[in-house]
Amino acid sequence: MKATEYLLTMGKPIAYYPKLAKPLGGVSSAILFSQLFYWQDKATSELGVYKTRDELEDETGLSHNEQRTAIKKLSDRGVLIVTEKRLVHKTYYKIDNETVNKVLSDFAKSMIELSRDIKSMQPELNIVDAVMATKSSSLDQEITTEITTNNNRSSCDDKRNPKKNHIIDFDLIIDAYNDAVEDKLPKVVKMTTARKNAVKKLLKEFDAPTFQNLANYFYDFAEKANRFYFGENDRGWRADFDYIVKTTTYLKFIEGSL
C-alpha cells in the first residue's frame, strides 16, 4: 500500500483556527484550543470536557510535552480553565469564552493601533478607517485594517481633523517575541527607549506595518533562521531581541542572506 493510500485510512485531519496562533501563543496552542473548543458543547460536566493526555495526542498529534506547554500558555492567558480531580485521576478542560473574547479583541485593537501609529509617522499616508469584524461565537476571527492614501486633503482640512497619536503596545510585542523564541534565545524583560525606536524603524520596512507582521517575523526567525544564531557556533553566541529587530538583520533574513 502506498503512503498516500495509507493516509486515507488514518481518519480525518484535525482542523484549527490559524488566526488564533499569534494571540494564543503559537500553533500548538491554537491546535489544542481548537480541539478543546470543539468538545465544549459536548461536555457532560460543568467543569468542562474530560480528556487524557493520550486522547489529546491521538486527536491532535501533540506530544505530552507539547500539550504541557500549550496548556500553560492558554492557562496563563486565562482562556483555559484546567481542573484536576486527583482522587479520580481525571483532568477537565473548560474554555472561558468571556476571556477569549477579550483576548482576541485586545489583540485586534493592538494591531489596529500599531498600524495607525506607524502610519502617523508618514505624513503622506492617512488612515481613513480600521474595521475589526469579530465572530466570537464561532471564533472565526477576521481582522481587517483598511488603509487608504489621500494626497488631496487641504491644509484647512488637516487643521479641522488633526491626526491622533496612537500608542504602540510594546508589552504585547514583548509577549509575542518571548512566545516565538521560547527558550531558544534570551527573552526580553524591559522595553527600553532604544528598543522602542528600533521597533518603529523596523516596522517602516514592512509592506504593511502591523503587529501581526512583526509577530510573524519573530516566529519565522525562530523557526527558519540558521542554527548559528541559536548558539551553534564556536563562541556559543546567540542572537537577541536587539539583534533581531535591526533593519539590516530583517532585510538579510527575508533576502536569504543571513
Side-chain angles (χ1 to χ4, degrees), residues 21-227:
K22 299 302 182 295
L24 295 185
V27 172
S28 295
S29 300
I31 289 176
L32 182 62
F33 173 88
S34 299
Q35 186 67 5
L36 292 175
F37 182 78
Y38 166 79
W39 284 107
Q40 289 304 294
D41 61 351
K42 302 168 184 61
T44 57
S45 170
E46 62 179 11
L47 298 177
V49 60
Y50 160 64
K51 287 286 181 181
T52 66
R53 292 292 178 88
D54 288 339
E55 287 175 332
L56 288 174
E57 183 171 3
D58 288 340
E59 294 175 8
T60 65
L62 299 174
S63 67
H64 287 203
N65 285 336
E66 289 173 325
Q67 290 177 44
R68 191 175 297 110
T69 300
I71 289 171
K72 183 179 185 304
K73 289 181 178 180
L74 295 175
S75 298
D76 288 346
R77 285 164 172 76
V79 301
L80 181 64
I81 301 172
V82 181
T83 303
E84 295 185 0
K85 292 291 186 180
R86 299 186 183 279
L87 294 180
V88 293
H89 303 289
K90 288 187 175 183
T91 302
Y92 293 87
Y93 303 94
K94 184 176 182 178
I95 302 297
D96 188 329
N97 289 333
E98 184 175 346
T99 303
V100 171
N101 291 335
K102 184 179 184 306
V103 168
L104 298 181
S105 177
D106 290 347
F107 178 76
K109 289 177 182 177
S110 68
M111 289 169 51
I112 293 171
E113 290 178 359
L114 180 57
S115 178
R116 285 175 173 169
D117 185 78
I118 298 303
K119 290 301 181 183
S120 70
M121 296 186 293
Q122 305 175 27
E124 72 277 8
L125 292 181
N126 226 352
I127 293 182
V128 172
D129 194 14
V131 182
M132 179 186 70
T134 304
K135 302 176 182 178
S136 59
S137 60
S138 64
L139 290 181
D140 182 13
Q141 302 297 326
E142 294 186 359
I143 302 167
T144 305
T145 303
E146 182 183 334
I147 301 175
T148 35
T149 303
N150 187 343
N151 293 321
N152 299 320
R153 176 168 294 185
S154 66
S155 58
C156 183
D157 287 339
D158 289 334
K159 291 179 181 179
R160 288 198 301 265
N161 301 290
K163 294 177 182 178
K164 294 182 179 179
N165 219 359
H166 294 275
I167 304 300
I168 298 176
D169 190 341
F170 288 104
D171 288 337
L172 192 61
I173 291 176
I174 290 177
D175 289 341
Y177 174 82
N178 289 342
D179 281 339
V181 302
E182 295 181 324
D183 295 325
K184 302 174 186 176
L185 298 175
K187 294 194 174 185
V188 176
V189 176
K190 182 178 180 181
M191 186 65 72
T192 63
T193 300
R195 285 174 170 173
K196 292 178 181 179
N197 291 334
V199 168
K200 292 178 181 179
K201 185 177 179 181
L202 172 61
L203 284 166
K204 291 181 181 180
E205 300 295 330
F206 293 175
D207 292 335
T210 64
F211 169 82
Q212 184 172 2
N213 284 339
L214 179 61
N216 286 342
Y217 168 51
F218 292 152
Y219 277 91
D220 288 342
F221 189 96
E223 180 181 351
K224 301 176 183 178
N226 191 293
R227 294 301 94 186

Side-chain angles (χ1 to χ4, degrees), residues 184-186 221 225-233 237-240 243-244 249 252-253 257-258:
K184 302 174 186 176
L185 298 175
F221 189 96
N226 191 293
R227 294 301 94 186
F228 173 89
Y229 299 98
F230 297 88
E232 296 183 17
N233 53 71
W237 174 83
R238 294 189 297 168
D240 57 15
Y243 179 82
I244 292 174
T249 302
K252 288 181 179 179
F253 177 75
S257 59
L258 188 63

